[in-house]
Amino acid sequence: MYAFRSTICNTLTKPTPLLSKVPLFRHTISTLPENPHIYVHPQGNSFLLSLLPTHTPHLSLGTTTSLPPTPETFTENPAFLPILHRLLRQHAANDPIVQSDALQFASPAGASLFGKNNARRAKREGSAGGANYQGGSGGGGVGGWLHVYDQRGIPVFGRIAETEDIFGSLLVDSNGKVKESEWEENRMYRLITGNGVMRLSPYLREKVREGLRKKEMEG
């Protein structure tokens, strides 16, 4: 049987470890065991998946008819990805993980690493660009596009994340500095894959949650 990770919201009494004895004015908030930052809200024969502890369907990732969720049982909320990409456009450049990765573009190691990958992919695909061109470009004092990827599919050093795990790309200059205004979203990103549900970095998770809470308050 699938087990939830649960936290208790206590308003008037001290916590009790026995959920069966929880008073009616308290409620259990469940999360995915394999991804404790995703809240699970039962609704009829399905479950709402959200970054928020409140039941807000219009701000959720979507619904699933099974737990754990799979690409086959998940139905995406069409309003979520546009919100996500707008928030990533605003905040991704300031993510410590992104800034650390960007420094590779200014190092000699980055030159051989990115250059080798880019030459091979450019020859094979005959194109260039950001998130929608898997190879990226630049490195080692040249600059180029840096992929911002889902933490469920962290690539090994020197490799490119899977297309469905890339949120988008940011332009980086020859000194390894991210250009905040240059964001290209990846149209092939998927909220749920065989590797699991979306997993944001700690920094981006808090920024996206802040943005969702703001929209929730606006109604």
Side-chain angles (χ1 to χ4, degrees):
M1 180 178 293
Y2 187 85
F4 291 121
R5 179 191 294 268
S6 300
T7 56
I8 305 298
C9 289
N10 187 6
T11 56
L12 298 177
T13 63
K14 293 182 180 180
T16 173
L18 301 177
L19 296 182
S20 60
K21 295 183 179 180
V22 174
L24 292 178
F25 50 77
R26 291 203 288 159
H27 62 280
T28 301
I29 301 176
S30 302
T31 60
L32 293 174
E34 69 276 11
N35 192 338
H37 304 292
I38 300 295
Y39 293 95
V40 179
H41 302 278
Q43 54 172 36
N45 297 322
S46 63
F47 302 90
L48 191 78
L49 304 180
S50 178
L51 282 167
L52 298 177
T54 52
H55 187 269
T56 48
H58 65 296
L59 298 176
S60 70
L61 279 70
T63 59
T64 179
T65 56
S66 72
L67 292 174
T70 68
E72 292 74 28
T73 63
F74 176 70
T75 300
E76 181 181 307
N77 168 20
F80 182 77
L81 276 179
I83 296 173
L84 175 67
H85 282 297
R86 189 186 76 248
L87 293 170
L88 291 179
R89 178 184 293 274
Q90 294 174 9
H91 302 292
N94 295 316
D95 186 346
I97 292 177
V98 172
Q99 293 182 344
S100 176
D101 288 345
L103 293 178
Q104 297 294 328
F105 281 81
S107 70
S112 59
L113 171 64
F114 290 110
K116 184 177 180 180
N117 284 339
N118 296 335
R120 183 185 302 117
R121 292 179 182 273
K123 182 177 180 180
R124 182 172 69 245
E125 302 181 23
S127 62
N132 299 294
Y133 165 57
Q134 259 286 347
S137 61
V142 178
W145 290 95
L146 173 67
H147 296 319
V148 179
Y149 48 82
D150 194 306
Q151 297 297 294
R152 71 185 172 210
I154 301 175
V156 298
F157 185 74
R159 302 297 295 273
I160 303 296
E162 295 294 329
T163 304
E164 59 191 7
D165 290 330
I166 297 175
F167 292 117
S169 299
L170 286 162
L171 194 59
V172 179
D173 68 19
S174 59
N175 296 313
K177 181 177 176 57
V178 179
K179 298 184 177 182
E180 297 184 23
S181 61
E182 299 291 341
W183 168 262
E184 180 182 321
E185 70 178 70
N186 176 21
R187 297 182 296 273
M188 298 181 70
Y189 172 76
R190 298 293 178 263
L191 290 170
I192 292 185
T193 69
N195 290 325
V197 184
M198 177 189 74
R199 189 183 294 267
L200 294 162
S201 68
Y203 177 85
L204 290 178
R205 182 172 61 247
E206 289 310 308
K207 292 301 181 181
V208 171
R209 271 191 178 147
E210 287 175 9
L212 293 175
R213 290 192 190 104
K214 183 177 179 180
K215 289 190 70 67
E216 181 183 17
M217 292 178 65
E218 294 172 349

